[in-house]
Amino acid sequence: MQMWFMPLNVLLTFIIGSFLGWIVILITKPPSHLRGLIVGCCAAGNLGNMPLIIVPAVCKEKGGPFGDPEDCQKYGIGYVALSMAVGSVYIWTYVYNLMRVLSNSPIETQPSIESNSCKVPLISSKEEDNQKVGRWDKVKRRVVSLSEKVNLRTIFAPSTIAALIALVVGLITPIRKLIIGNGAPLGVLQDSVTLVGDGAIPAMTLIIGGNLLKGMRSSGMKKSSIIGVLVARYIFLPISGVLIVRGAYKLDLISSEPLYQFVLLLQYAVPPAMNLGTITQLFGAGESECSVILLWTYALASVSLTVWPTFFMWLVA
């Protein structure tokens, strides 16, 4: 099983989604403070509770292409857990900083002395010509400015730390046997985490409902921007996923297991991540607009998550 391809596949969903989001920005021309939100909604997918609901439900279907229901659910949950862990790392490292850079682009104005009838610049045009710097100095200044905008502290967000700990426990056999299993010495930790995890999906569903409720209120989001996000998220991104996954299969980069290919394809068809609402709250800008986008994307998710998974099952069967 070529499991190495799944982190790469998740990264490709983020990169392709970012590219599609940038195209939406160029076409719809939204306000500057909403550019990061649009790119984030196109890039970050809900790789958590949505696949956790869809994959077990698909495995229980009689006559499905994934074989025994118990084995299907066992391996399917494992694939989804890895996808969720990797996606959490990418959201709080790649998407967070991308939205931070695109949303914080203030227009620099030159200080001036205001008189009764006009404004006199503090620096004259002749002095400006004398202070021109070389191209290499400009590049260095832009790199320094970009590094100041990127917040590396988000790498150690709680969700990212939890994902890294889960990967360590799952990959190192002695630690896994110490915690996971019926006769594990520290099996109480597994029972406690399982108990908390069983309530994660209902809790996330309530959070989704609370965020979507805000989307019922008015906001300054253009209809063209919303339509652009929907088209990018539910049409072009799944199509690109089909091309990538099937191309990887033809090149023998992934195995022929139908369930594994189905999870890889499903990563391209999910609605935007709910963590985007949290990110906009941290920025203090675009909260209502984010709720509007989430409202429409999750309203149409019932159609997208019916049509595309059905096509994916037919494709991998």
Side-chain angles (χ1 to χ4, degrees):
M1 179 64 63
Q2 294 98 331
M3 293 296 294
W4 63 268
F5 187 79
M6 181 168 289
L8 176 61
N9 189 68
V10 175
L11 179 61
L12 289 176
T13 65
F14 281 75
I15 294 176
I16 296 173
S18 303
F19 176 73
L20 294 175
W22 188 252
I23 293 178
V24 173
I25 290 175
L26 295 178
I27 295 176
T28 61
K29 294 179 172 59
S32 58
H33 69 282
L34 297 179
R35 292 177 180 176
L37 173 62
I38 292 176
V39 173
C41 288
C42 293
N46 190 336
L47 302 176
N49 58 321
M50 282 297 173
L52 283 175
I53 296 172
I54 296 172
V55 172
V58 170
C59 289
K60 293 178 182 178
E61 290 291 330
K62 295 181 179 180
F66 305 130
D68 182 64
E70 293 185 0
D71 292 339
C72 173
Q73 185 166 349
K74 175 183 176 181
Y75 289 103
I77 293 298
Y79 298 152
V80 172
L82 177 60
S83 172
M84 181 172 54
V86 175
S88 177
V89 174
Y90 289 154
I91 287 175
W92 289 103
T93 53
Y94 172 73
V95 175
Y96 177 88
N97 289 299
L98 182 64
M99 293 178 63
R100 180 186 176 91
V101 171
L102 293 178
S103 299
N104 298 332
S105 55
I107 300 176
E108 297 182 358
T109 57
Q110 194 178 47
S112 62
I113 301 175
E114 186 173 356
S115 63
N116 293 332
S117 58
C118 64
K119 293 183 178 180
V120 181
L122 292 177
I123 303 176
S124 63
S125 59
K126 293 182 179 180
E127 292 178 351
E128 289 179 2
D129 295 336
N130 295 330
Q131 292 179 1
K132 286 184 178 180
V133 296
R135 182 176 299 178
W136 177 246
D137 292 334
K138 291 182 180 180
V139 172
K140 289 194 295 183
R141 289 182 181 181
R142 290 187 179 182
V143 171
V144 171
S145 177
L146 180 63
S147 63
E148 291 177 352
K149 292 181 179 180
V150 174
N151 187 3
L152 296 178
R153 290 181 297 177
T154 55
I155 297 177
F156 302 102
S159 58
T160 305
I161 295 175
L164 294 176
I165 294 175
L167 290 175
V168 170
V169 173
L171 294 176
I172 301 178
T173 304
I175 299 178
R176 185 173 67 249
K177 291 182 178 180
L178 188 66
I179 299 175
I180 300 175
N182 295 329
L186 299 179
V188 64
L189 295 178
Q190 180 188 4
D191 296 337
S192 301
V193 173
T194 302
L195 182 63
V196 175
D198 289 340
I201 293 179
M204 284 298 299
T205 305
L206 292 175
I207 294 174
I208 291 175
N211 287 333
L212 297 186
L213 181 62
K214 298 179 183 179
M216 298 296 294
R217 303 166 187 170
S218 60
S219 68
M221 177 63 68
K222 293 181 179 180
K223 293 182 179 179
S224 58
S225 298
I226 299 175
I227 295 174
V229 172
L230 292 173
V231 172
R233 188 83 237 175
Y234 290 147
I235 296 180
F236 289 108
L237 195 58
I239 292 175
S240 63
V242 171
L243 297 177
I244 291 173
V245 175
R246 297 305 292 178
Y249 171 68
K250 295 296 183 181
L251 295 175
D252 201 24
L253 297 178
I254 59 176
S255 66
S256 60
E257 184 186 358
L259 181 60
Y260 183 61
Q261 293 188 27
F262 176 78
V263 174
L264 294 176
L265 291 168
L266 188 62
Q267 294 169 352
Y268 290 89
V270 292
M274 294 307 302
N275 285 332
L276 296 175
T278 304
I279 294 175
T280 56
Q281 291 174 4
L282 293 175
F283 293 156
E287 295 181 45
S288 59
E289 289 83 359
C290 180
S291 299
V292 171
I293 293 179
L294 292 179
L295 173 65
W296 286 104
T297 52
Y298 277 84
L300 295 178
S302 58
V303 178
S304 174
L305 293 179
T306 301
V307 175
W308 283 112
T310 302
F311 174 73
F312 294 158
M313 286 190 291
W314 171 82
L315 190 65
V316 302

